[in-house]
Amino acid sequence: MAPDSFTGWMTHIQQRTEAALECLLPDTRHAPARLHEAMRYVTLGGGKRVRALLVHAAGELVGAATDNLDRLAGAVEMIHAYSLVHDDMPAMDNDTLRRGKPTCHIAFDEATALLSGDALQTLAFEVVASPMPGMEPAIQLAMVQRLAQASGHAGMCGGQGIDLYSVGKALSQPELEYMHLLKTGALIRAAVMLGALAGRPVTTEETDALDHFAKRMGLAFQVVDDVLDCEADTATLGKTAGKDAANDKPTYVSLMGLGSARQFARDLAADAFAALERFGSDADRLKALASYIVARSF
Ligand code: GRG
Protein backbone atom coordinates (compact mmCIF):
# COMPACT_ATOMS: atom_id res chain seq x y z
CA MET A 1 0.00 0.00 0.00
CA ALA A 2 1.50 3.36 -1.07
CA PRO A 3 1.83 6.04 1.67
CA ASP A 4 -0.59 9.00 1.46
CA SER A 5 1.91 11.87 1.83
CA PHE A 6 3.65 12.96 -1.38
CA THR A 7 7.17 12.53 0.01
CA GLY A 8 6.27 9.12 1.41
CA TRP A 9 4.80 8.10 -1.95
CA MET A 10 7.84 9.44 -3.83
CA THR A 11 10.27 7.42 -1.69
CA HIS A 12 8.04 4.34 -2.03
CA ILE A 13 7.98 4.58 -5.85
CA GLN A 14 11.72 5.33 -6.03
CA GLN A 15 12.36 2.16 -4.00
CA ARG A 16 9.97 0.10 -6.15
CA THR A 17 11.69 1.39 -9.31
CA GLU A 18 15.10 0.45 -7.94
CA ALA A 19 13.83 -3.05 -7.08
CA ALA A 20 12.22 -3.46 -10.52
CA LEU A 21 15.43 -2.39 -12.26
CA GLU A 22 17.47 -4.76 -10.07
CA CYS A 23 15.38 -7.65 -11.47
CA LEU A 24 15.15 -6.43 -15.07
CA LEU A 25 18.85 -5.66 -15.60
CA PRO A 26 21.21 -8.49 -16.59
CA ASP A 27 23.11 -10.41 -13.95
CA THR A 28 26.84 -9.61 -13.64
CA ARG A 29 27.55 -13.32 -13.04
CA HIS A 30 26.70 -13.90 -16.70
CA ALA A 31 28.96 -12.97 -19.61
CA PRO A 32 29.72 -10.37 -20.73
CA ALA A 33 30.12 -9.31 -17.10
CA ARG A 34 31.76 -5.96 -17.90
CA LEU A 35 28.85 -4.86 -20.09
CA HIS A 36 26.32 -5.98 -17.48
CA GLU A 37 28.28 -4.16 -14.75
CA ALA A 38 28.21 -0.96 -16.82
CA MET A 39 24.46 -1.26 -17.46
CA ARG A 40 23.83 -1.64 -13.73
CA TYR A 41 26.35 1.10 -12.81
CA VAL A 42 24.52 3.72 -14.87
CA THR A 43 20.97 2.67 -14.03
CA LEU A 44 20.94 1.65 -10.37
CA GLY A 45 21.38 3.70 -7.22
CA GLY A 46 20.95 7.19 -8.59
CA GLY A 47 18.72 9.78 -10.13
CA LYS A 48 15.52 11.38 -8.97
CA ARG A 49 13.42 8.89 -10.98
CA VAL A 50 11.17 11.71 -12.21
CA ARG A 51 10.11 9.70 -15.27
CA ALA A 52 9.30 6.61 -13.20
CA LEU A 53 7.26 8.80 -10.84
CA LEU A 54 5.35 10.20 -13.82
CA VAL A 55 4.56 6.69 -15.11
CA HIS A 56 3.18 5.74 -11.68
CA ALA A 57 1.26 8.97 -11.05
CA ALA A 58 -0.43 8.79 -14.48
CA GLY A 59 -1.04 5.06 -14.02
CA GLU A 60 -2.65 5.60 -10.61
CA LEU A 61 -5.03 8.09 -12.20
CA VAL A 62 -6.40 5.34 -14.46
CA GLY A 63 -6.25 2.52 -11.88
CA ALA A 64 -3.36 0.63 -13.52
CA ALA A 65 -1.79 -2.41 -11.81
CA THR A 66 1.26 -1.28 -9.81
CA ASP A 67 3.40 -4.26 -10.86
CA ASN A 68 2.88 -3.40 -14.53
CA LEU A 69 3.73 0.24 -13.80
CA ASP A 70 6.98 -0.89 -12.17
CA ARG A 71 8.03 -2.57 -15.42
CA LEU A 72 7.02 0.40 -17.56
CA ALA A 73 8.75 2.83 -15.19
CA GLY A 74 11.88 0.65 -15.30
CA ALA A 75 11.83 0.69 -19.12
CA VAL A 76 11.52 4.48 -19.29
CA GLU A 77 14.35 4.89 -16.76
CA MET A 78 16.52 2.59 -18.93
CA ILE A 79 15.98 4.82 -21.96
CA HIS A 80 16.78 7.86 -19.80
CA ALA A 81 19.95 6.23 -18.43
CA TYR A 82 21.10 5.32 -21.94
CA SER A 83 20.60 8.93 -23.07
CA LEU A 84 22.70 10.21 -20.16
CA VAL A 85 25.51 7.73 -20.91
CA HIS A 86 25.70 8.73 -24.58
CA ASP A 87 25.23 12.43 -23.82
CA ASP A 88 28.23 12.36 -21.44
CA MET A 89 30.59 10.79 -24.00
CA PRO A 90 33.47 12.79 -25.54
CA ALA A 91 31.70 13.07 -28.91
CA MET A 92 28.80 14.84 -27.23
CA ASP A 93 28.95 16.71 -23.90
CA ASN A 94 32.26 15.15 -22.79
CA ASP A 95 31.43 15.13 -19.08
CA THR A 96 33.15 13.25 -16.27
CA LEU A 97 30.53 13.40 -13.49
CA ARG A 98 26.97 12.07 -13.45
CA ARG A 99 24.76 11.30 -10.46
CA GLY A 100 27.71 12.09 -8.19
CA LYS A 101 30.04 9.50 -9.70
CA PRO A 102 32.37 9.17 -12.72
CA THR A 103 30.50 8.93 -16.03
CA CYS A 104 30.33 5.53 -17.72
CA HIS A 105 33.15 6.08 -20.25
CA ILE A 106 35.42 7.22 -17.38
CA ALA A 107 34.51 4.38 -15.00
CA PHE A 108 34.65 1.81 -17.83
CA ASP A 109 35.72 2.86 -21.35
CA GLU A 110 34.15 4.52 -24.39
CA ALA A 111 33.27 1.31 -26.21
CA THR A 112 31.57 -0.08 -23.11
CA ALA A 113 29.67 3.17 -22.60
CA LEU A 114 28.43 3.05 -26.19
CA LEU A 115 27.43 -0.60 -25.91
CA SER A 116 25.75 -0.28 -22.52
CA GLY A 117 23.62 2.60 -23.82
CA ASP A 118 22.61 0.55 -26.85
CA ALA A 119 21.84 -2.49 -24.73
CA LEU A 120 19.78 -0.45 -22.24
CA GLN A 121 17.70 0.98 -25.07
CA THR A 122 16.89 -2.40 -26.58
CA LEU A 123 16.22 -3.95 -23.15
CA ALA A 124 13.69 -1.17 -22.48
CA PHE A 125 11.72 -2.15 -25.58
CA GLU A 126 11.95 -5.83 -24.67
CA VAL A 127 10.45 -5.03 -21.26
CA VAL A 128 7.54 -3.00 -22.70
CA ALA A 129 6.82 -5.70 -25.30
CA SER A 130 6.96 -8.65 -22.87
CA PRO A 131 3.64 -10.06 -21.62
CA MET A 132 2.15 -8.22 -18.64
CA PRO A 133 -0.81 -9.55 -16.61
CA GLY A 134 -4.17 -8.20 -17.83
CA MET A 135 -2.58 -6.09 -20.58
CA GLU A 136 -3.88 -6.35 -24.16
CA PRO A 137 -1.07 -6.87 -26.74
CA ALA A 138 -2.57 -3.99 -28.78
CA ILE A 139 -2.04 -1.66 -25.83
CA GLN A 140 1.56 -2.79 -25.47
CA LEU A 141 2.07 -2.22 -29.19
CA ALA A 142 0.79 1.35 -28.72
CA MET A 143 3.25 1.76 -25.83
CA VAL A 144 6.17 0.50 -27.94
CA GLN A 145 5.19 2.96 -30.65
CA ARG A 146 4.98 5.88 -28.16
CA LEU A 147 8.34 5.04 -26.64
CA ALA A 148 10.02 4.62 -30.03
CA GLN A 149 8.67 7.95 -31.27
CA ALA A 150 9.77 9.67 -28.07
CA SER A 151 13.28 8.21 -28.27
CA GLY A 152 14.11 8.58 -31.95
CA HIS A 153 14.64 11.25 -34.60
CA ALA A 154 11.31 12.92 -33.86
CA GLY A 155 12.01 12.87 -30.12
CA MET A 156 15.05 12.69 -27.87
CA CYS A 157 17.68 11.97 -30.58
CA GLY A 158 16.25 14.72 -32.78
CA GLY A 159 16.36 17.19 -29.89
CA GLN A 160 19.92 16.17 -29.08
CA GLY A 161 20.82 16.77 -32.75
CA ILE A 162 19.37 20.28 -32.66
CA ASP A 163 21.27 20.90 -29.40
CA LEU A 164 24.59 19.74 -30.89
CA TYR A 165 24.17 21.87 -33.98
CA SER A 166 23.10 24.96 -31.98
CA VAL A 167 26.22 25.55 -29.89
CA GLY A 168 27.34 29.15 -30.24
CA LYS A 169 24.13 30.12 -32.04
CA ALA A 170 21.46 32.45 -30.68
CA LEU A 171 18.14 30.56 -30.71
CA SER A 172 14.78 32.32 -30.52
CA GLN A 173 12.39 31.22 -27.76
CA PRO A 174 10.27 29.12 -30.21
CA GLU A 175 13.45 27.42 -31.50
CA LEU A 176 14.64 26.70 -27.96
CA GLU A 177 11.20 25.41 -27.05
CA TYR A 178 11.14 23.08 -30.06
CA MET A 179 14.57 21.68 -29.18
CA HIS A 180 13.48 20.91 -25.62
CA LEU A 181 10.08 19.60 -26.64
CA LEU A 182 12.07 16.87 -28.38
CA LYS A 183 15.21 16.46 -26.27
CA THR A 184 13.75 16.38 -22.75
CA GLY A 185 10.01 16.71 -23.29
CA ALA A 186 9.38 13.71 -25.53
CA LEU A 187 10.44 11.10 -22.96
CA ILE A 188 8.52 12.90 -20.20
CA ARG A 189 5.42 12.83 -22.41
CA ALA A 190 5.96 9.15 -23.14
CA ALA A 191 6.29 8.42 -19.40
CA VAL A 192 2.87 9.99 -18.74
CA MET A 193 1.30 8.25 -21.74
CA LEU A 194 2.66 4.80 -20.88
CA GLY A 195 1.17 5.14 -17.40
CA ALA A 196 -2.12 6.40 -18.81
CA LEU A 197 -2.33 3.53 -21.32
CA ALA A 198 -1.80 0.92 -18.59
CA GLY A 199 -5.19 1.24 -16.86
CA ARG A 200 -8.85 1.79 -17.73
CA PRO A 201 -9.55 2.97 -21.30
CA VAL A 202 -9.05 6.72 -21.66
CA THR A 203 -11.10 8.99 -23.95
CA THR A 204 -9.48 11.13 -26.63
CA GLU A 205 -10.23 14.22 -24.52
CA GLU A 206 -8.54 12.67 -21.49
CA THR A 207 -5.51 11.66 -23.59
CA ASP A 208 -5.24 15.19 -24.97
CA ALA A 209 -5.50 16.70 -21.47
CA LEU A 210 -2.78 14.40 -20.12
CA ASP A 211 -0.59 15.08 -23.13
CA HIS A 212 -1.00 18.84 -22.68
CA PHE A 213 -0.05 18.44 -19.01
CA ALA A 214 3.02 16.37 -19.96
CA LYS A 215 4.11 18.79 -22.67
CA ARG A 216 4.00 21.79 -20.34
CA MET A 217 5.74 19.86 -17.53
CA GLY A 218 8.45 18.62 -19.92
CA LEU A 219 9.26 22.20 -20.73
CA ALA A 220 8.99 23.32 -17.10
CA PHE A 221 11.42 20.53 -16.15
CA GLN A 222 13.95 21.86 -18.68
CA VAL A 223 13.53 25.50 -17.63
CA VAL A 224 14.22 24.48 -14.00
CA ASP A 225 17.21 22.43 -15.23
CA ASP A 226 18.60 25.58 -16.89
CA VAL A 227 18.03 27.64 -13.72
CA LEU A 228 19.73 25.01 -11.53
CA ASP A 229 22.70 24.81 -13.91
CA CYS A 230 23.28 28.49 -13.03
CA GLU A 231 22.29 28.52 -9.38
CA ALA A 232 23.26 25.18 -7.86
CA ASP A 233 26.74 23.77 -7.27
CA THR A 234 28.29 20.60 -8.67
CA ALA A 235 28.04 18.72 -5.34
CA THR A 236 24.31 19.38 -5.10
CA LEU A 237 23.57 18.52 -8.73
CA GLY A 238 25.86 15.47 -8.88
CA LYS A 239 26.90 16.69 -12.34
CA THR A 240 29.11 19.56 -13.52
CA ALA A 241 27.33 22.85 -12.79
CA GLY A 242 27.61 25.93 -15.03
CA LYS A 243 28.26 23.90 -18.18
CA ASP A 244 25.64 25.65 -20.31
CA ALA A 245 27.27 29.08 -19.95
CA ALA A 246 30.79 27.59 -20.23
CA ASN A 247 29.81 25.87 -23.50
CA ASP A 248 27.94 28.91 -24.82
CA LYS A 249 24.70 26.91 -25.02
CA PRO A 250 21.41 28.69 -25.57
CA THR A 251 19.21 28.26 -22.45
CA TYR A 252 16.12 29.85 -20.92
CA VAL A 253 18.39 31.73 -18.53
CA SER A 254 20.53 33.16 -21.34
CA LEU A 255 17.37 34.01 -23.27
CA MET A 256 15.25 35.61 -20.56
CA GLY A 257 17.36 35.94 -17.38
CA LEU A 258 17.11 34.01 -14.09
CA GLY A 259 14.05 35.71 -12.58
CA SER A 260 11.95 35.45 -15.74
CA ALA A 261 13.02 31.85 -16.29
CA ARG A 262 11.87 30.93 -12.76
CA GLN A 263 8.55 32.69 -13.37
CA PHE A 264 8.19 30.98 -16.76
CA ALA A 265 8.53 27.56 -15.06
CA ARG A 266 5.77 28.50 -12.59
CA ASP A 267 3.53 29.71 -15.45
CA LEU A 268 4.05 26.47 -17.35
CA ALA A 269 3.15 24.44 -14.25
CA ALA A 270 -0.03 26.51 -13.74
CA ASP A 271 -1.03 25.79 -17.34
CA ALA A 272 -0.24 22.10 -16.81
CA PHE A 273 -2.40 22.02 -13.66
CA ALA A 274 -5.34 23.55 -15.53
CA ALA A 275 -5.27 20.65 -18.00
CA LEU A 276 -5.88 18.22 -15.12
CA GLU A 277 -9.04 19.89 -13.82
CA ARG A 278 -11.34 17.41 -15.56
CA PHE A 279 -9.88 14.57 -13.43
CA GLY A 280 -10.72 16.18 -10.07
CA SER A 281 -8.93 14.67 -7.06
CA ASP A 282 -7.84 11.62 -9.12
CA ALA A 283 -5.06 13.86 -10.45
CA ASP A 284 -3.80 15.01 -7.03
CA ARG A 285 -0.68 12.84 -7.27
CA LEU A 286 0.23 14.17 -10.72
CA LYS A 287 -0.30 17.73 -9.46
CA ALA A 288 1.91 17.15 -6.42
CA LEU A 289 4.57 15.69 -8.69
CA ALA A 290 4.35 18.72 -11.00
CA SER A 291 4.83 21.02 -7.97
CA TYR A 292 7.89 19.02 -6.93
CA ILE A 293 9.38 19.25 -10.45
CA VAL A 294 9.11 23.05 -10.42
CA ALA A 295 10.32 23.52 -6.82
CA ARG A 296 13.18 20.97 -6.91
CA SER A 297 16.68 22.10 -5.93
CA PHE A 298 18.70 19.37 -7.76
C1 GRG B 1 22.33 11.02 -26.48
C2 GRG B 1 20.29 10.16 -27.69
C3 GRG B 1 20.88 11.07 -26.74
C4 GRG B 1 20.09 11.92 -26.11
C5 GRG B 1 20.53 12.77 -25.04
C6 GRG B 1 18.18 13.74 -22.55
C7 GRG B 1 19.45 13.96 -23.24
C8 GRG B 1 19.46 13.73 -24.69
C9 GRG B 1 20.58 14.28 -22.61
C10 GRG B 1 20.68 14.48 -21.19
C11 GRG B 1 21.51 15.65 -20.90
C12 GRG B 1 20.79 16.74 -20.22
C13 GRG B 1 21.55 17.42 -19.17
C14 GRG B 1 19.56 17.06 -20.57
C15 GRG B 1 18.79 18.14 -19.93
C16 GRG B 1 17.75 17.73 -18.93
C17 GRG B 1 17.92 16.41 -18.39
C18 GRG B 1 17.34 15.32 -19.18
C19 GRG B 1 18.56 16.26 -17.23
C20 GRG B 1 18.79 14.99 -16.57
O1 GRG B 1 17.59 14.44 -16.09
P1 GRG B 1 17.30 14.29 -14.53
O2 GRG B 1 17.55 15.59 -13.83
O3 GRG B 1 18.43 13.25 -14.12
O4 GRG B 1 15.94 13.69 -14.37
P2 GRG B 1 18.45 12.15 -12.98
O5 GRG B 1 19.90 11.86 -12.76
O6 GRG B 1 17.76 12.71 -11.76
O7 GRG B 1 17.71 10.96 -13.54
Side-chain angles (χ1 to χ4, degrees), residues 207-230:
T207 306
D208 289 348
L210 285 169
D211 194 43
H212 185 75
F213 165 84
K215 232 169 146 173
R216 302 324 268 163
M217 284 320 299
L219 199 52
F221 179 90
Q222 183 60 53
V223 177
V224 173
D225 203 71
D226 287 356
V227 168
L228 291 176
D229 186 69
C230 280

Side-chain angles (χ1 to χ4, degrees), residues 54-60 62 64 69 72 143 190-199:
L54 284 165
V55 171
H56 275 272
E60 267 187 31
V62 293
L69 294 175
L72 297 170
M143 289 177 175
V192 171
M193 278 308 139
L194 260 58
L197 281 166

Side-chain angles (χ1 to χ4, degrees), residues 120-203:
L120 281 168
Q121 177 168 211
T122 47
L123 180 57
F125 284 102
E126 184 186 331
V127 169
V128 177
S130 298
M132 281 183 242
M135 192 93 76
E136 291 289 332
I139 294 286
Q140 286 182 251
L141 196 57
M143 289 177 175
V144 167
Q145 195 181 20
R146 283 269 177 183
L147 198 56
Q149 282 167 347
S151 306
H153 71 93
M156 199 172 66
C157 286
Q160 180 78 347
I162 299 174
D163 194 358
L164 288 173
Y165 313 134
S166 303
V167 174
K169 285 189 193 158
L171 294 188
S172 66
Q173 189 168 337
E175 286 170 332
L176 193 63
E177 214 163 293
Y178 182 62
M179 175 175 90
H180 290 308
L181 183 67
L182 270 57
K183 182 181 155 181
T184 319
L187 193 60
I188 286 180
R189 277 169 88 185
V192 171
M193 278 308 139
L194 260 58
L197 281 166
R200 67 161 171 80
V202 280
T203 63

